[in-house]
Every structure is written in structure tokens, then in C-alpha cells.
Amino acid sequence: MNPHIRRVAVLGAGVMGSAIAALLAGAGLDVLLLDIVPDRLTPEEAARGLTLASREVRNRIAARALEQLRQQQPPPCFDPSDLTWIEVGNLEDDLPRLAACDWVIEAVVERLDVKQDVVARAALHLKPEAVLSTNTSGLSIAAIAEGCPPEVRRRFLGTHFFNPPRYMKLLEIIPGPDTDPAVVARMQAFSAQVLGKGVVIAKDTPNFIANRIGTYALAITLDAMAAFGLAPDEVDDLTGPVMGRPQSATFRTLDLVGIDTYVHVARHMQQALPDPAERAVFAVPAFIEEMVARGWTGEKAGGGFYRRNRETGELEVLDLATWSYRPRRRLSSPVIEAARALPSAADRLRALLQGGDRAADFAWFVLKKVLLYAAEKLPEIADDVAAVDQAMKWGFRWELGPFEMWDALGVTALARRMEAEGERLPQAVAHVASRQPAVFYERGTGGVLRCYTAAGVYRGVEQPPERISLVQLKEAGHLVAGNPGASLVDLGDGVLCLELHAPKQAIGPDVIAMMEQAADEVEARWEALVIGHEGRHFCVGANLMLMLMEAEDENWDEIDAMVRRFQQAVLRLKYLRKPVVAAPFGMTLGGGLEVCFAAARVQAAAEAYLGLVETGVGLIPAGGGTKEMALRAASRIPPGVEVRLDPFLRFAFETVALAKVSTSAQDAKRLGYLRAEDGVTFDRDRLLYDAKQAALGLARSGYRPPRPARIPVGGEPAAAALKVGVADMRLAGRITDHDVKIAHHLIRVMTGGDLPRGTEVPESYLLDLEREAFLSLIGEEKTRQRMRHMLATGKPLRN
């Protein structure tokens, strides 16, 4: 962690400013949040006898922003207590307090004159080493800093956070013409290590990198929709995952961002760009202007291209021909259906480019224009193609960046097709197409990844030393063993990694087999084991389809054997004589969390969403999760105190029964999924590194495994108390009869069955109860209905 940044001021408490403040507070920084002084009293303030001179009034705007952060969903910080690190004030009384700050971020309204004024005033109060930055989505960094003294301009730069700052990985850092390169390097390292950001260095050009390419892609898509005679929902079918983009695609994204916001950005592009032909691309279509005039600006206004039907709850789409909303419809296209079934973005794009119908022609047109534009603008907006690709992946959540698409689809083949269609190739494409191999990325000496630069040469893609790439390790011969579901990879220094790579990292026989082999390997010749990988989510749980198929065939012995084998594999890891460290991130559900429960230590990504969610499909956790939650409830009782588990057990029971999922790693500690001593990593790219260091630390400090536990259970009294709560929920209509049945099975396991309070039982006893309950529930038709519904829709069924 950079020791020089401890206190930060954010100037501007609007949507972005307050959200940036929440992010910084969540990273453990002291934050000062300032905004303007109100020019009039509210009726409530007047009634209380306050005046415009009252400090409460003068700080009102920032104070209200802080209060709104407490109510905001999804949460803007990792834990509600993070917000206590934010102090509020105003831009008239509190500017002298900037002298105590290490970093000052201007985040006021996106107007050049206002930003210039605030930045110039802030510059008068900075201490000599403090960094001053502006959060702007596209205004000139040099112009904003014009009024600052030369010594401040050396410490001035753009820091463009993407909204919402907590959840969007991209941070564009934009040096001004006078910015000291050492300041850029310092802020790049701090933003990655402490804030967990993916940092891209951008040039001081209109809208920088991500918004420049992303806004162009939106503009081209709007034009193509009309040209190809498609509707918004049909376009979204084409421009979502099938093209390697997020599920929100084009028009759902516009609704989320705000259609008026898009108009603002597009108009800024028209004003800032010198080329008339390029400016014309960003002309706002008449139907967009009409939507803004009607106030149909997206989700914040209750509707935009989509709205929720108040009676049915179904999402409807705007019919631009009638200006009325209608039910959504899927685009009928064999080409799209074939592409959608393919596993990787590159494969899906290749399928689309085979053509054959209007949908495929639309996809090719949009893709072609975006790829050409990115290549044409490379020298203007970035130093190399890696910066452009990372910006689009981190900022717009594309699976592949534009230049990764060029390589995946074949630069030479694409160039020939485009030239045949009358397109002019950008210099970068013509240059790369003339080489062998014709790629924007290549492997240099020693397997180092190199990328094409704006200068027309190749250079190494910077990889922080704290980043471990399993792909590169395997390419370098570090693969120890593997099967279709998981692999064992040598991380060096005597640490082995169990990498999950089944579809959605679901746990099935292959993964369990590799868990068993990992335990054998580590016991025999390794110092420690790390469980982690580089996918999108850590693990979604057990292979639900496999379990359902066995249940439909009434293969109860097979199900029992699979559950028993998983339980034993988890126990084996828990009592391994060498330390095991799990590195969860993203969705870590069901069996994935049960694997984490087995680890001696968990090193979780800050954005880790952990939960035992089996009740949502009519089951209970049976890989040791139910047992572990009961054990953790019992462990909270101080030594020597009479065993009364009710308060702790009730909390644990409700957490599992309601399938609660943490909103962050910090929240997972509150729910009992993580322990106080478990670590949290903000920068996802260094998660495996941090997990490896934790494993080595345990190994080198003389790690000793825990002794098999005996668990004091709540017994019949605790079970009776919990069942009363369940009955109350059923009477209130909050749960169904089948929910009651699931809850009673869960209660039996967590309280130990028909035993007196305080009876101590071995873990194996509760594991047997888990397995019995699982088998009983999966034999129920209503449970199988829930499983089918989840597999078909991705949503729980309440039956």
C-alpha cells in the first residue's frame, strides 16, 4: 500500500462524487466530502430556526449525499460501517482542510468553466506533495488545469472512474502536458493495489479511450438498427453475449446509463472532434431526442427503451413505430442460435461472420465499423492496443477488446473482406496485415506477451509482479495434472494450485477427483495448496443438471455416493497436514463455499458474493455447509458459558434457510461465511498472488491442522424454537408448505436431531444427517420442479 495516501478529499457530492467517496472509504481511507453551500433554507430548516449561516445548512448537500449512500442499492461500499470514514463539509468553509489531504479529487458538474474554477481554488490549499485530479468523462485535462500554478500542474491528472465506481473495474488515468511521470506511476500503483482498479493510461483526447470507442459503437448500432429494420429488443439479442458483450447489450445499457447521459456525451463528441465526418457519426437520432423530450430517459425515469409492466411485472420494450410498449420478442435467426450455443466469444463471432441472414449481416456491419474505428484512432487515444482492449473489457465489460477480436478472427482475412467491401484500412491494420504472423499480440523471447503500439512496433505487455497467470504457467510447463473439470498447476515455491475450469466451475465428479488428487499430491511433496482460478466466478456450486438427471432416473445410490464422496473430499482438505488457502471471487455459491469452509485460510476478493443457496432449489447444503454453519454458531459461545445456542444458531439457520448471499467479502464475515482472520484483496488481479503468500506464511510458521471437532448441538429445545419461527412465517404467507419441509430438514441437521441440548457430536454425525436430508428432498417432485425451473430460467421457483 502506498504510505503517502491516507486522506482524500472529494470535491462534489453528486452521484459520482459521493460514490467515489464511498469507494475510497471502503478502501480504508479517511475521506472529506465537500459540496456547494445552499442559497436558501428548506421549510424544515426554517421551522427549526436555522439560518444560512448555520453549519448544518451549509453542509446540507454533502450530508444528504452521505445519507443517500446509506440507502443506495446496490450498496456503494463493502460494508455500511465504511461510510463512517466520510466527513462532510462545503466548498467555502472547508477548502483550507485540503492542506491535510494527500489526494484531492474534483468531481463537480461536467462543465469546463465550473471545473476550472473549483480546481484553481483547490490548488491554493494543497500541501506540496499532494496529488490533484479531476474526474471527467471526456473534458480536456489540460484545459481544466489552466488556472493552476506550474508546480500544481506537475501533480495534476485526470482520474476517470467508471460508474458505479465500486463495481466498475476501469480507471482511466490521463496525464496532462505537464504531469510528472512519477506521479502517474504512483497513482497507477496506488489505484490498482489499494482501490483494486484496472488502470489504463489514456491520452488527453475527447472522451479518452473507453467512452470514445464505446460511444462510437452505440452510435453505429443506432444507425444500423434503422438501416436493417430491427427493433431495440432484436438489436439487444444481437449485441449481447452472442457478440461477447454484457447481457444488458445496447438498449438495456442505455436505459441503465441514462438516455439523457448518452445525449450529453454524444453532443460533447460533436463539439470536441475536429473532423466533420467523424462528428456526423455522433449526431443524435431524432427518436432519441423525442424520448428525452418525453422524459423517457431510462430506468431512473421509470422507463426508456424498456419498462416494467405494473400489472404483470414483465419487461416490455418500446415500439418506435407506434410509441407504445409491447412484450419483448426474440430475434428469429438460425445463425444467431448456432452462435449462441458456442462457448467462447471468439467462436461466437466466427459463427456470426459466416453470414446467411439479416441478423448476421447486421452483426458484421457493426463489428466491422467498430474494429476499423478502434484501429484508426489507436495513435490518437492510446500508446498501445493493450490499453484499448483493457479499457473496453473493464469499462464496457466486453469479453474481447477490439484488437483481440482482430487477432481472434484473423487480421488478414478481415482486412481482405473489408477492402472487398470498399473500406479503407487504417495504417495499423495495413501494417500488421503485411507481417508474419499478422497479429496485434505476439509471444516474444521467453514467452513474454508483446503488443502492437501506436508507434508501429511491438513491446511487452506490462504484467505486475503480483499477478499470477495460470494460462502462462501452463504454457510454460507448470501443469501437474488435469481433467475436464480441474487442473493442478505449480505456482512455484512449493505451492500447488487447484484450478477449477468446468463450465461455470460447477462441482462434479471431475472436480472431486482432482480435489482428492490435490490432497494426495500436497501431502506427499508440496508445502501448501491454493484453490483458485482466473474465471468470471469462483464456483456456482454442484452440477445441478447431473444431480437432477440421477434423481429423474431414481439413482438414489449414485446420488448418495456422489454426496458422500464430496463430503469426504472437503473433510480431507480441512484436515490436510499442509495449509490450504481458498481464493474465492465473484459468485461463490453452494459447494463452492463449502470448499472454502475447508480451507485453513480464505483470501477473498473484495467483490466476492458468497452464499449457501441450496434452499432455492429445494435442497439443503450437504457438502458440509450445514454442518459448518452449526459448528461456527457453536464456536461463538465463550468457554465456560452454558450451552445456549439459540441466538447464534437462529442467525445461522436464517442465513442458510433464506439462501442469503453476501454483498461483499466484508459482508460475508458478518454472515459467518468468512472468519475474522480471513483476508480480503481489493485488486482481483493479485488475488492468486495474495493467496499464495498467505499459504506460504502458514507453511513457514509451522502450520498444524485443526483437530477433528466435536460440536455441541442445540438439540430438541433449539429445534422446537426454530420451528415456531417457521410456523409463523407460514401463517403469514411468506413461505410455502414445501419451504416448511425444507426448513424442518435444515433444522434437524443444524440442531443435531433428537438429542438433548449441549450434546457433543462428531462432524460425521451431522454430515450423515446432511446427506439423509439431501436424499429425502431430492426425492420430492416439488424439489425437482425447482431444479428444472432454475436450470431453464436461472431463477428460483416458489412452489
Side-chain angles (χ1 to χ4, degrees):
M1 180 172 178
N2 190 316
H4 302 297
I5 298 181
R6 290 285 186 268
R7 184 167 178 80
V8 184
V10 180
L11 313 182
V15 172
M16 278 302 295
S18 60
I20 291 170
L23 169 73
L24 299 172
L29 304 174
D30 294 324
V31 182
L32 178 63
L33 180 62
L34 308 181
D35 210 299
I36 61 172
V37 173
D39 59 3
R40 66 190 67 185
L41 296 173
T42 66
E44 294 80 5
E45 289 168 339
R48 291 171 54 201
L50 299 175
T51 71
L52 290 177
S54 301
R55 186 72 176 181
E56 183 179 336
V57 174
R58 297 176 71 79
N59 293 351
R60 182 217 304 154
I61 295 177
R64 283 190 174 178
L66 179 58
E67 186 55 37
Q68 288 168 357
L69 288 174
R70 302 184 197 281
Q71 312 300 324
Q72 193 170 310
Q73 292 297 329
C77 51
F78 301 104
D79 188 271
S81 64
D82 293 340
L83 298 178
T84 61
W85 296 100
I86 300 177
E87 293 183 77
V88 299
N90 66 75
L91 289 168
E92 293 184 14
D93 303 325
D94 297 303
L95 284 182
R97 299 174 67 186
L98 301 185
C101 295
D102 308 303
W103 179 16
V104 176
I105 307 171
E106 170 273 307
V108 298
V109 65
E110 194 78 348
R111 272 181 46 187
L112 180 59
D113 57 337
V114 178
K115 287 182 175 288
Q116 287 174 324
D117 175 66
V118 171
V119 163
R121 290 165 57 202
L124 301 175
H125 300 278
L126 300 180
K127 59 184 179 181
E129 68 275 18
V131 174
L132 177 61
S133 73
T134 175
N135 181 70
T136 172
S137 59
L139 295 177
S140 166
I141 304 302
I144 293 172
E146 280 178 359
C148 296
E151 64 272 16
V152 173
R153 291 203 298 272
R154 285 193 289 272
R155 292 177 278 120
F156 183 84
L157 68 166
T159 47
H160 178 208
F161 290 86
F162 269 58
N163 191 31
R166 173 189 160 182
Y167 298 97
M168 296 300 292
K169 186 175 178 66
L170 179 61
L171 172 63
E172 291 178 319
I173 289 183
I174 312 99
D178 304 314
T179 308
D180 183 347
V183 171
V184 176
R186 172 187 170 194
M187 294 306 298
Q188 182 175 11
F190 175 84
S191 300
Q193 295 171 16
V194 179
L195 304 183
K197 290 300 172 187
V199 178
V200 166
I201 306 300
K203 295 184 179 181
D204 190 7
T205 56
N207 278 34
F208 313 128
I209 299 175
N211 275 349
R212 182 74 172 270
I213 303 296
T215 306
Y216 177 87
L218 282 169
I220 285 296
T221 302
L222 292 175
D223 288 343
M225 179 175 71
F228 285 84
L230 296 172
D233 49 346
E234 294 174 321
V235 170
D236 277 355
D237 269 354
L238 282 163
T239 57
V242 74
M243 286 185 69
R245 299 185 189 178
Q247 190 70 44
S248 57
T250 298
F251 293 103
R252 285 287 289 145
T253 297
L254 273 172
D255 277 359
L256 291 168
V257 171
I259 297 167
D260 52 339
T261 301
Y262 168 75
V263 170
H264 172 80
V265 172
R267 285 177 176 162
H268 172 253
M269 293 292 288
Q270 286 184 295
Q271 295 168 1
L273 295 171
D275 179 9
E278 187 177 1
R279 288 202 303 267
V281 175
F282 295 95
V284 179
F287 69 86
I288 294 280
E289 298 276 18
E290 177 65 19
M291 291 178 71
V292 173
R294 294 183 181 215
W296 298 357
T297 55
E299 198 163 275
K300 63 186 177 183
F305 286 101
Y306 295 90
R307 75 172 185 189
R308 188 73 59 182
N309 185 298
R310 293 179 181 177
E311 295 181 1
T312 66
E314 294 296 316
L315 203 62
E316 298 177 325
V317 67
L318 179 63
D319 186 326
L320 292 168
T322 64
W323 288 95
S324 61
Y325 288 88
R326 59 164 174 78
R328 288 187 298 174
R329 57 178 179 239
R330 295 293 295 269
L331 181 64
S332 177
S333 164
V335 175
I336 299 303
E337 292 305 320
R340 189 176 281 118
L342 297 173
S344 73
D347 289 337
R348 295 192 295 272
L349 287 171
R350 290 189 196 100
L352 284 179
L353 299 195
Q354 298 302 312
D357 62 17
R358 180 181 55 148
D361 292 344
F362 168 93
W364 164 243
F365 177 84
V366 170
L367 182 66
K368 174 179 68 173
K369 291 296 184 182
V370 171
L371 294 186
L372 287 170
Y373 187 76
E376 181 69 37
K377 297 306 168 186
L378 172 63
E380 179 184 343
I381 63 177
D383 286 335
D384 58 43
V385 300
V388 177
D389 285 344
Q390 292 288 30
M392 297 314 299
K393 290 191 291 184
W394 288 335
F396 280 77
R397 295 180 176 173
W398 290 8
E399 292 183 54
L400 296 172
F403 295 98
E404 291 173 328
M405 292 184 210
W406 275 106
D407 279 2
L409 299 173
V411 174
T412 302
L414 288 181
R416 288 174 179 167
R417 180 173 176 180
M418 291 174 182
E419 283 188 306
E421 294 176 1
E423 302 289 352
R424 182 182 65 83
L425 297 182
Q427 183 178 350
V429 174
H431 184 201
V432 170
S434 69
R435 298 179 71 257
Q436 282 299 328
V439 290
F440 284 100
Y441 292 89
E442 65 179 17
R443 290 288 176 186
T445 305
V448 174
L449 183 65
R450 290 152 40 94
C451 71
Y452 188 79
T453 69
V457 298
Y458 288 78
R459 69 179 179 195
V461 177
E462 291 187 21
Q463 296 285 0
E466 299 86 3
R467 181 178 181 185
I468 294 175
S469 170
L470 296 178
V471 172
Q472 291 182 15
L473 285 174
K474 287 187 286 188
E475 289 176 350
H478 287 244
L479 178 66
V480 175
N483 63 30
S487 295
L488 301 180
V489 183
D490 179 2
L491 298 184
D493 301 313
V495 179
L496 188 66
C497 178
L498 171 60
E499 176 196 20
L500 309 182
H501 49 65
K504 297 185 179 181
Q505 286 69 46
I507 296 173
D510 285 341
V511 172
I512 298 172
M514 203 52 60
M515 290 170 64
E516 295 165 341
Q517 186 170 344
D520 292 339
E521 281 277 345
V522 173
E523 287 277 15
R525 61 190 186 94
W526 300 83
E527 296 297 317
L529 175 68
V530 165
I531 305 174
H533 59 89
E534 298 168 291
R536 183 179 177 190
H537 297 293
F538 181 75
C539 179
V540 298
N543 187 327
L544 195 63
M545 176 62 78
L546 178 61
M547 285 291 184
L548 178 61
M549 290 170 62
E550 296 289 358
E552 299 283 29
D553 291 340
E554 299 185 359
N555 293 330
W556 311 121
D557 289 343
E558 288 291 331
I559 296 174
D560 179 75
M562 279 193 290
V563 175
R564 187 188 300 269
R565 187 181 178 192
F566 181 52
Q567 289 178 337
Q568 294 307 309
V570 170
L571 274 186
R572 178 85 188 281
L573 294 179
K574 180 174 181 177
Y575 294 110
L576 206 65
R577 290 186 294 111
K578 308 289 182 65
V580 176
V581 175
F585 55 88
M587 291 298 179
T588 303
L589 307 176
L593 180 52
E594 289 171 320
V595 169
C596 293
F597 282 163
R601 185 71 47 82
V602 174
Q603 187 69 34
E607 296 294 352
Y609 315 118
L610 291 76
L612 296 171
V613 296
E614 284 84 349
T615 59
V617 290
L619 299 167
I620 72 161
T626 305
K627 174 266 299 179
E628 188 67 25
M629 291 298 282
L631 188 157
R632 293 187 177 197
S635 69
R636 297 179 66 183
I637 302 171
V641 175
E642 180 189 355
V643 178
R644 290 194 60 82
L645 282 173
D646 296 3
F648 304 116
L649 191 63
R650 182 179 298 279
F651 182 83
F653 166 73
E654 290 176 353
T655 299
V656 180
L658 298 176
K660 292 183 180 179
V661 176
S662 72
T663 58
S664 66
Q666 192 62 38
D667 188 48
K669 293 187 177 185
R670 179 186 65 83
L671 292 173
Y673 295 145
L674 295 180
R675 299 156 295 198
E677 65 268 24
D678 289 329
V680 178
T681 295
F682 273 69
D683 182 4
R684 163 71 195 283
D685 288 339
R686 62 177 287 152
L687 180 61
L688 283 174
Y689 173 86
D690 287 351
K692 176 184 173 181
Q693 298 311 305
L696 286 172
L698 289 170
R700 290 167 181 170
S701 63
Y703 175 76
R704 298 178 67 182
R707 292 184 180 276
R710 291 190 67 85
I711 307 169
V713 297
E716 291 180 313
L722 292 175
K723 287 179 179 178
V724 169
V726 172
D728 288 343
M729 293 182 69
R730 181 68 188 99
L731 286 173
R734 295 170 59 191
I735 59 176
T736 68
D737 287 339
H738 194 53
D739 291 324
V740 172
K741 182 174 291 187
I742 298 164
H744 283 186
H745 277 290
L746 186 62
I747 289 169
R748 176 172 171 76
V749 179
M750 296 190 80
T751 61
D754 303 326
L755 296 173
R757 183 196 299 275
T759 303
E760 293 188 351
V761 299
E763 288 178 274
S764 59
Y765 175 82
L766 294 188
L767 289 174
D768 288 343
L769 293 183
E770 275 188 359
R771 200 169 59 257
E772 291 170 10
F774 188 93
L775 286 165
S776 176
L777 286 168
I778 204 170
E780 297 274 351
E781 174 57 25
K782 287 191 175 181
T783 285
R784 295 198 294 275
Q785 288 173 0
R786 293 189 178 194
M787 296 171 72
R788 294 186 203 105
H789 190 269
M790 177 63 72
L791 288 166
T793 68
K795 299 177 181 179
L797 171 69
R798 301 301 299 273
N799 58 348

